[in-house]
Amino acid sequence: NANCFGPTVLYPWMPASALIATHLKTSLPTPWCQSGIDTFNIGSSSYLVVSSYADTENGSRFVDSFLFRLGLAHNATHGNFGDDFLLLDNPHTPGQGAAVLLQSFPTRSAVSVKHFVVGQSRFVVFASAEEDEPTRVYSANANSNPPHFIHHQDLETHRATS
């Protein structure tokens, strides 16, 4: 289901209490209608890939999808991201979740995203709901941390669904 009515927000799961910590929410800098997410880990680093369906301000379906690295804010300007200590894009509250945008992917009406690893390659795949738009496949070295995806292949599809 797409989120077209506000920012994309993440809430951490607290295993000890079996509750979602609503006071530790992280808003993602995604200005468009988000349609799907997938997560993956490389070592101690966590990543979130987000598919975008449309730009809700101008109605365009030619919008980027995104890859974020997830972590926790250490102070207002820096955060812990696995083994790395990184500068944050905007001020955060210490202990609050943080997301740093790593990469954008050109997509059109992306309704779903999937991540998987085969051998030494890591893939993200964005399915499009458009009749004449292919499913886009991007790949990266499975051992690279952080990963950098490049266009790998287009797959002919007609109005893919998730």
Side-chain angles (χ1 to χ4, degrees):
N1 293 338
N3 171 27
C4 299
F5 299 106
T8 300
V9 179
L10 303 176
Y11 298 98
W13 171 260
M14 307 304 282
S17 64
L19 297 173
I20 295 173
T22 58
H23 65 288
L24 295 177
K25 71 180 180 182
T26 301
S27 293
L28 298 179
T30 52
W32 303 301
C33 183
Q34 307 330 126
S35 55
I37 63 169
D38 204 354
T39 60
F40 61 94
N41 294 310
I42 303 174
S44 62
S45 299
S46 298
Y47 296 91
L48 173 73
V49 62
V50 180
S51 60
S52 300
Y53 183 75
D55 181 332
T56 54
E57 291 186 18
N58 66 20
S60 175
R61 292 190 178 164
F62 290 96
V63 295
D64 286 345
S65 294
F66 306 101
L67 173 67
F68 294 95
R69 190 168 184 182
L70 303 177
L72 287 175
H74 177 73
N75 56 34
T77 60
H78 290 79
N80 296 317
F81 293 84
D83 295 331
D84 297 325
F85 194 66
L86 302 174
L87 181 65
L88 298 172
D89 296 336
N90 49 46
H92 282 71
T93 303
Q96 178 185 13
V100 173
L101 177 63
L102 290 183
Q103 189 171 351
S104 297
F105 304 90
T107 55
R108 180 178 175 207
S109 300
V111 293
S112 182
V113 60
K114 293 296 177 200
H115 163 268
F116 59 93
V117 176
V118 176
Q120 296 299 310
S121 296
R122 179 177 305 282
F123 297 92
V124 290
V125 180
F126 297 95
S128 174
E130 295 292 324
E131 176 67 30
D132 58 348
E133 188 71 14
T135 292
R136 302 213 182 269
V137 181
Y138 295 87
S139 65
N141 181 309
N143 298 314
S144 296
N145 191 11
H148 178 74
F149 291 91
I150 59 171
H151 182 256
H152 182 80
Q153 183 179 11
D154 286 341
L155 302 173
E156 185 177 338
T157 54
H158 301 281
R159 297 190 179 183
T161 59
S162 56

